[in-house]
Amino acid sequence: MNDNPILRITTKILFAPIIVFGLYVQFHGDYGPGGGFQAGVIIAAAFILHSLIFGLEAGRRLVPLWVNVWLMAIGVLIYGGTGIASIYFGGFFLDYNVLGDSVASGQHVGILLIELGVGVTVTSVMLALFHAFAGYDPKRFAVAEDGE
Amino acid sequence: MTVLLVNLILMALLVVIVVLLMRTNRLFAVVVLSGAYSLICAAIFVNLDAVDVAFTEAAVGAGISTVLFLAAMAFLPANERQPPRSHRITNNIAGLSICLLTGGILIMAALELPAVGDPNGPAQIHVAPRYLAESGEVLNIPNVVTTVLASYRGFDTFGETVVVFAAGLGVLLLLGGLTRTGRATKAKAAVAKTGPKTGRTKAAKKGAK
């Protein structure tokens, strides 16, 4: 929690543009530098900035823990699901050629999907890591130990 | 010539940062210097035309890692504890000779490597020509890094994603309160606070059944 008005207002102004830039990196990876890993980190950075300035609880209201955990798994499932889908359409696992009308369009669809999966997983894992470290409460473990 | 000069300056900065990193024992300085190290590495990668790697290094190494280290540092003392100084000269000589030996072996091995950008190097004549020829023409994806990462090496990237997922899950299980015991103790604490009758928690419900 930070009460400095400059930091708070700058965060409010920057929050959306950082996410838009992350989405640009995410979906522009075919043509320029970027892709799911980088985009995931950038989008996570926006949420982490929000949590740093407005407090961890506000950040957890924005992305609750259960949403965060589900997103971590959903990203991997999107990636794996793309592989299963390409088997379903008659190719090998992660063989994107069968996902579109032509080789080029199939590859574009496949790469878009798996990059999306990577982006979702990386975003949510980075956010979860930050919250786990920043919200770590040593007392909780002392209680858990004598509870068992 | 300019590229060489810029590279030399960046490498010199890296050496300066490493020396500073070794000499300081304030953890905050260590974290910030590591971030600066990553940022300069990213600049060197741009100089080598590896823009994707530079992007990742800047975002992950200089950005997120620094923030995560700072978040974790809140639970550590501000200064690194100094290891007890070894006064036995044999220890120091042994350490120095191991360092020199390992470094010498690595330098000898590096001399055997093909020069950077050597057109006849194994990296350039194995599968790279096919990737370079196909990616733009057949697949219509100009960024070859993306096709190698997502298409030709899709299995590897799947593995990487699963590793990231597993790492996140591991940290959450260790620290994030996802464990059953964590939830149970929270419920117990809630019961203790509000009294068993008003506390509408899972533990209380189970007890009622």
Side-chain angles (χ1 to χ4, degrees), chain A residues 45-130:
Chain A
F47 285 99
I48 289 174
L49 178 67
H50 181 277
S51 295
L52 280 175
I53 302 299
F54 296 106
L56 287 175
E57 288 185 11
R60 268 295 172 232
R61 277 202 298 278
L62 202 62
V63 185
L65 182 64
W66 67 271
V67 174
N68 200 332
V69 175
W70 271 95
L71 284 176
M72 278 164 58
I74 285 171
V76 176
L77 288 178
I78 292 175
Y79 202 133
T82 310
I84 304 290
S86 51
I87 294 178
Y88 177 78
F89 286 112
F92 295 112
F93 186 68
L94 291 175
D95 175 11
Y96 316 129
N97 290 351
V98 293
L99 294 176
D101 300 329
S102 64
V103 169
S105 73
Q107 289 285 337
H108 271 284
V109 171
I111 288 175
L112 200 75
L113 282 173
I114 67 129
E115 291 278 15
L116 185 68
V118 171
V120 169
T121 293
V122 171
T123 305
S124 43
V125 166
M126 290 301 158
L127 198 58
L129 286 183
F130 173 74

Side-chain angles (χ1 to χ4, degrees), chain B residues 28-87:
Chain B
F28 184 74
V30 170
V31 170
V32 173
L33 283 172
S34 313
Y37 187 91
S38 285
L39 202 62
I40 290 170
C41 278
I44 290 175
F45 292 145
V46 171
N47 246 344
L48 291 170
D49 282 338
V51 200
D52 280 87
V53 185
F55 205 158
T56 316
E57 183 67 41
V60 179
I64 290 282
S65 302
T66 311
V67 173
L68 288 180
F69 277 133
L70 286 178
M73 232 182 63
F75 304 101
L76 297 173
N79 291 319
E80 181 186 358
R81 193 189 298 152
Q82 286 294 319
R85 288 218 147 190
S86 150
H87 292 292

